[in-house]
Amino acid sequence: MSTAPDRAQGALSYVPARGGVAALRRAAADCHGCPLYEDATQTVFGAGPAHARTVVVGEQPGDQEDREGEPFVGPAGRLLRKALAEAEIDEREVYFTNAVKHFKFAPVGEGKKRRIHKAPSLREMAACRPWLEAELHRVDPELVLILGATAGKSVLGNSFKVTESRGTLLYLPGAGLPAPAPQRQDGEGGGRGLVATVHPSAVLRSRDRAEAYRGLVSDLHVAARFLR
């Protein structure tokens, strides 16, 4: 009988039952849970302290991340780190990851050497979700910071909308991804905090970049207050 991982289960067949974040990263390097691995340079897994206070969840690695094998090292990542510092969130206490671990792109231009980002499908997000579930379980952060619609849908479900949820403090029970909808956190209480905001790449694309950046930092201040 074949023991090869079952593509129908997405990444689930590849996620080790034991070990910490390092074990997850090693296993993810060989993940073929969806077809995105075929064109990507490599798996881009999460990076940061194994027991970080905050987990940042973005959409997927970009061109530079795909080449370097590290999350949030491109222009959007640099902008995010600047905004985190301005909101007084120490990036040394942040674990950076993405909802999807392989770069999805369309080759364009002469010789098709340029690679333009394409949003992952719901099926691809679902296939990769076991990695995010495992990361949140292993890291067990105090706060989850969601960047953009794809990350929000991966964590909170397909009904998530950034425009309705950004800058609002929610909480999530348990150590993995939520089964029920998150609840508004209006006072003191337990549970993991969650704050959603726009992806920094949206700030870079904005016509009024300064205003969009101020909005991002304002949302991060909500997260910072929760961490104090």
Side-chain angles (χ1 to χ4, degrees):
M1 180 182 296
S2 172
T3 59
D6 182 2
R7 174 70 67 81
Q9 296 186 58
L12 187 60
S13 300
Y14 296 83
V15 178
R18 298 180 180 179
V21 171
L24 294 177
R25 185 177 294 109
R26 289 192 296 269
D30 296 320
C31 184
H32 296 173
C34 80
L36 292 183
Y37 82 92
E38 296 173 358
D39 296 322
T41 303
Q42 58 193 315
T43 302
V44 181
F45 205 69
H51 299 289
R53 296 186 69 196
T54 302
V55 169
V56 168
V57 182
E59 179 189 85
Q60 65 165 330
D63 181 83
Q64 193 165 333
E65 288 81 5
D66 174 70
R67 297 180 193 280
E68 297 187 23
E70 293 289 332
F72 291 96
V73 294
R78 291 192 291 271
L79 182 73
L80 173 63
R81 293 170 195 273
K82 176 184 175 183
L84 287 169
E86 192 166 332
E88 299 183 344
I89 296 176
D90 189 347
E91 72 169 86
R92 294 173 299 180
E93 298 182 345
V94 176
Y95 180 91
F96 296 91
T97 192
N98 285 293
V100 174
K101 312 303 188 193
H102 287 108
F103 179 35
K104 183 177 181 179
F105 62 91
V108 297
E110 186 177 351
K112 294 191 174 182
K113 294 182 179 180
R114 290 181 59 212
R115 305 191 300 174
I116 301 300
H117 158 275
K118 291 183 67 177
S121 67
L122 292 176
R123 179 173 295 181
E124 290 157 351
M125 290 162 53
C128 212
R129 195 173 191 263
W131 288 122
L132 183 57
E133 170 79 37
E135 286 175 295
L136 288 177
H137 181 75
R138 304 299 208 278
V139 178
D140 193 19
E142 298 173 37
L143 176 76
V144 177
L145 181 60
I146 291 174
L147 306 178
T150 296
K153 290 177 180 179
S154 183
V155 174
L156 300 175
N158 295 339
S159 63
F160 172 83
K161 294 181 180 179
V162 176
T163 53
E164 296 178 357
S165 302
R166 67 174 296 183
T168 299
L169 179 60
L170 307 171
Y171 78 93
L172 300 173
L177 296 183
Q183 303 295 315
R184 180 77 177 262
Q185 179 84 351
D186 292 316
E188 298 295 327
R192 172 182 295 149
L194 181 144
V195 174
T197 186
V198 295
H199 196 283
S201 61
V203 176
L204 294 175
R205 295 192 303 268
S206 175
R207 291 184 178 181
D208 189 342
R209 187 177 296 183
E211 178 64 24
Y213 179 76
R214 285 192 293 270
L216 171 62
V217 173
S218 177
D219 293 340
L220 295 182
H221 274 298
V222 176
R225 286 193 292 271
F226 174 82
L227 292 168
R228 292 192 184 113

